[in-house]
Amino acid sequence: MNLDGIGSSLGAVALLIYGTSLFSSSVQEIIGNRLIHFLNFHVKNDRGFMLSGLLLSIFIENNVIVRNISLGFLKSGIITLDQTLSMVMGSNLGATLLNYITYIRPGYWLYILLALGTLLYFFSKGSVMKGFGKLLLSTGFLFFCFFFVRTNDLGLGIFLDMLNISNIFIGLIIGLISALVFHGFTIPVFLLQILLVQGFIGFETTLPILIALNIGTIYVMYRPNEENNRLINASQLIIYALVSIIVLTFAPQFINMINRATSNGILQIALMNTLINAIALLISLIFIGNIPAIVGEFIHTEDKKENRIELLDERILVNPVLALEQIRRIVHQMGILSLNSLEKVMNSFINQDNHGTERALENDKIIKEMEKQINRYLVILGKNGLTSELSIALKEIYDIMADIISASNSTVDIAHYTQESINANLTYSAEGIKDLKGMYAKVYHMFQDSLSILLERNKETASLILSRENEVDKLQLQLRNANISRLNRGDCTPQSGLIYIDVIAELERVADHAADIAHIVKGD
């Protein structure tokens, strides 16, 4: 074994890693968050989530990232465990499609692609066009990497001299190690294609390696301290164990079928990898509701972090576009929690009981913990050298979160006023309670609508929220004057009158924060 061969091999691998990484990040910047946003509002069942995982993996070209996204959705309560497994299995199949790119031979179109990408990236003023230019450049560079490595003898076969790769067990070990080293199966499959084309290995010997690569990718995404992660991994291991039995049992038939379909080594390996994951997808479709339930019977866990809420798989923070979109959804969940607290505490005040106040105070602790973690995520993202567009999105999320926190603080204040009122056995007139219910209903719907536009980004709804802000301001003044009139008539006590005024003041502050969110979404 000579040093030149080792250096050439390592250089070829580095070139492929950089090319695929650049392409993946470019795609994420252009369509990543838009696609996630679309799928979240249009996907409703397990098979739909399987398709969403497939599409995300095709466009993002990284099933590990899609896996992190789906687990983040699960942690945030956006999707169920079955839907998460559906997304993961769909993403595994989608990731195999990138391996077909190596079959395309570059021509003059590659130079045109690179030239157009250069013009757009370096001379366009708009961020969208710059992003599109970066995508064209990265796509051209990726094709160049494939073509260069494929057409040059870079010594990739030098490491095979020491190995009996035809041995099925050695093939399995090579596949597992490769998946761990390269953090997935995309790069190792590219290398297998190149080795096959250059005559270092035979098609038959790649089968156990491909199986082991898919199993090894599952271990790459393993996190022992996360219960849901363990359930998803165990479910996938069961599925791919069944796939391994099927594929190895009928290996001659599958190999003959692919040999009849094509004699091109690149397509043969790509088709075999797709076949493995298509069988896995079919198994998961049949047993999607059963496998996680069966696995759950055997995996019993203790929450080792009782006071810590897991919101986001931090591995996704290396992808700012997707991370910001997911953090936005976590902030939305925070808002829903605050809205729920407002409902409970107002019912408690109206009915003069402590049931809702205790729940609101518990929710506030959860919201504060969520705030700490989200702030930490945003700080990490801010250090990643964000584009101007992503920096604006980060600030927008931070400002919206601040408004939700302030609304939650107002809810806590109402909870304290409720407790004070109950302890003092205060009473309120029927007229006052009726007026309070009317104001609360307007504020509740304002806050609710402001949370919906956080995800939908509907500027018409934002304008409607802002128009209602003036109505709430006028209503607060009317309720204050009516309360003063009741005090003058002796219909209520000074203490109950003061608490009543404090409560409507807090409701008006919640409405102000809902309006602030609408301003942010509109871009005012």
Side-chain angles (χ1 to χ4, degrees), residues 408-426:
S408 180
N409 291 338
S410 291
T411 299
V412 169
D413 288 340
I414 295 175
H416 291 150
Y417 294 139
T418 301
Q419 291 174 335
E420 181 182 346
S421 178
I422 292 171
N423 292 337
N425 291 318
L426 301 179

Side-chain angles (χ1 to χ4, degrees), residues 197-210:
V197 169
Q198 295 183 349
F200 290 107
I201 58 175
F203 175 47
E204 294 79 4
T205 62
T206 64
L207 186 54
I209 299 176
L210 289 172

Side-chain angles (χ1 to χ4, degrees), residues 291-352:
I291 293 178
I294 294 171
V295 171
E297 293 295 324
F298 295 94
I299 297 182
H300 302 285
T301 59
E302 298 291 334
D303 190 356
K304 297 179 181 180
K305 299 178 181 179
E306 296 180 357
N307 298 318
R308 182 177 176 81
I309 304 167
E310 296 291 342
L311 299 176
L312 187 72
D313 192 321
E314 293 192 20
R315 289 168 291 181
I316 200 175
L317 294 177
V318 299
N319 303 278
V321 175
L322 301 179
L324 285 172
E325 182 67 16
Q326 195 158 337
I327 291 172
R328 179 184 289 272
R329 296 175 186 283
I330 297 172
V331 170
H332 176 262
Q333 291 297 311
M334 180 191 293
I336 294 297
L337 201 59
S338 179
L339 182 68
N340 178 264
S341 295
L342 178 64
E343 180 182 16
K344 291 186 178 301
V345 79
M346 284 305 300
N347 286 334
S348 283
F349 184 83
I350 290 168
N351 298 318
Q352 288 295 287

